[in-house]
Amino acid sequence: MSNIEKLYPSNFTDFPDNLLREAMGNYEDLLMLGYNKDGELDIRCSSGIDKAHIVWMLELFKVKLLRGDYG
């Protein structure tokens, strides 16, 4: 039997709810940041992450982003 792959429209990531739906069930800990519908920065994280770990995650993301790991 062949593998089944999901196909997404080219604008899939234009809608944050799509990203949230795809993330469900895939993470042990989660840090989420984005702008809410009022245009304010909103940051949330799972209870297992302390402040030091949040800073580490953000710094690691910055390094990977500047290195070109994300398209």
Side-chain angles (χ1 to χ4, degrees), residues 16-48:
D17 287 348
N18 291 342
L19 300 175
L20 293 171
R21 202 172 6 269
E22 284 298 307
M24 288 180 63
N26 290 311
Y27 293 92
E28 183 175 315
D29 286 311
L30 184 69
L31 172 64
M32 179 177 72
L33 63 121
Y35 291 104
N36 64 23
K37 292 185 179 189
D38 294 327
E40 301 166 338
L41 183 63
D42 187 18
I43 303 169
R44 299 165 189 243
C45 67
S46 53
S47 61

Side-chain angles (χ1 to χ4, degrees), residues 3-23:
N3 292 336
I4 298 173
E5 294 188 30
K6 291 183 179 181
L7 300 176
Y8 299 101
S10 60
N11 67 342
F12 180 81
T13 57
D14 291 348
F15 304 96
D17 287 348
N18 291 342
L19 300 175
L20 293 171
R21 202 172 6 269
E22 284 298 307

